[in-house]
Amino acid sequence: MVLKSLKYTLKTALTTTEVTRLYPEVMMELPANERGIHELDATTCIGCGSCARVCPNSCIELVPYRYGNPLKNRKMQFPQIDYGRCTFCGLCVDECPVSCLKMGKRTEIAGWDRKDIVYGPDRIAVKKFSDREVAELEAEAKRQAEEKKKAAAAAAKEKAAKAKGKENKAKAKPGEGGEA
Ligand code: SF4
Ligand code: SF4
């Protein structure tokens, strides 16, 4: 019986085709339309939150991240995805108004802890700015904000001056023409 089993094992090992792979060294080929872990272009994300609002499983939360564009994403908030709840439906990708979120091809999601499978922008960003680029963009955002503040102050001053002018005219009217 033992010899028979051994003979069968040897025959199978030597003659049959491969049925298992040496994972993780050898990965299976994925279909072209496979939906894996999301890929985020942090340089174009505007932090609108549409992806979070449309998600049927509430697995997207916007969180702070440094390597985006403060000129486009003023609050610097980017998606974080909970893969413990994601069904890979792709609705968030369809909803993104600037097409900066895509379904990628990475499919391995594992961890020792629940929080290990919650991927922040740092883990899904495939495109981001460098520290130097972020510093330049921040300086530009600051300059634009100051300009806007100055313009708003000037407009308020002008409005106040006009109102004062009208008030003075109204005060001057009763005396016009003098008493009869
Ligand atoms: S793929 Fe579907 S379930 Fe997953 S984060 Fe996007 S909308 Fe939510
Ligand atoms: S990924 Fe797209 S939909 Fe989500 S916050 Fe960024 S721009 Fe908005």
Side-chain angles (χ1 to χ4, degrees):
M1 183 64 186
V2 174
L3 273 178
K4 197 177 169 191
S5 301
L6 198 60
K7 193 178 160 195
Y8 177 77
T9 305
L10 279 172
K11 190 181 162 202
T12 310
L14 295 172
T15 58
T16 53
T17 52
E18 181 190 33
V19 289
T20 56
R21 296 176 180 84
L22 289 175
Y23 176 86
E25 285 80 15
V26 183
M27 299 290 286
M28 70 182 281
E29 249 178 61
L30 297 170
N33 55 358
E34 174 73 24
R35 291 177 187 162
I37 295 169
H38 296 73
E39 291 180 348
L40 172 74
D41 179 354
T43 66
T44 53
C45 173
I46 55 173
C48 64
S50 297
C51 51
R53 282 191 293 277
V54 79
C55 177
N57 301 321
S58 309
C59 41
I60 303 186
E61 191 188 334
L62 292 195
V63 296
Y65 179 59
R66 180 169 163 68
Y67 300 100
N69 186 346
L71 293 166
K72 291 180 180 168
N73 192 329
R74 296 198 185 276
K75 292 184 180 167
M76 293 296 269
Q77 296 279 311
F78 299 83
Q80 165 180 279
I81 304 177
D82 181 351
Y83 285 105
R85 302 156 77 111
C86 179
T87 52
F88 299 88
C89 64
L91 283 175
C92 50
V93 169
D94 296 344
E95 196 69 7
C96 179
V98 292
S99 305
C100 66
L101 194 63
K102 295 198 166 34
M103 303 303 292
K105 292 274 177 264
R106 279 190 303 146
T107 53
E108 292 166 299
I109 303 164
W112 296 104
D113 205 291
R114 177 72 179 78
K115 64 179 180 335
D116 292 345
I117 55 171
V118 177
Y119 283 34
D122 53 327
R123 290 177 83 184
I124 59 169
V126 289
K127 210 170 164 197
K128 61 179 185 173
F129 286 118
S130 65
D131 280 315
R132 188 183 54 80
E133 287 169 327
V134 171
E136 284 169 7
L137 288 163
E138 276 173 350
E140 177 60 17
K142 202 173 162 192
R143 192 191 63 76
Q144 284 187 13
E146 271 164 17
E147 249 177 34
K148 212 173 159 186
K149 211 171 150 187
K150 274 185 199 162
K157 209 174 163 185
E158 202 182 316
K159 202 175 162 189
K162 272 186 189 166
K164 186 86 181 159
K166 271 187 191 170
E167 200 183 305
N168 288 344
K169 264 188 192 171
K171 273 184 190 166
K173 263 188 184 170
E176 274 176 15
E179 279 180 19

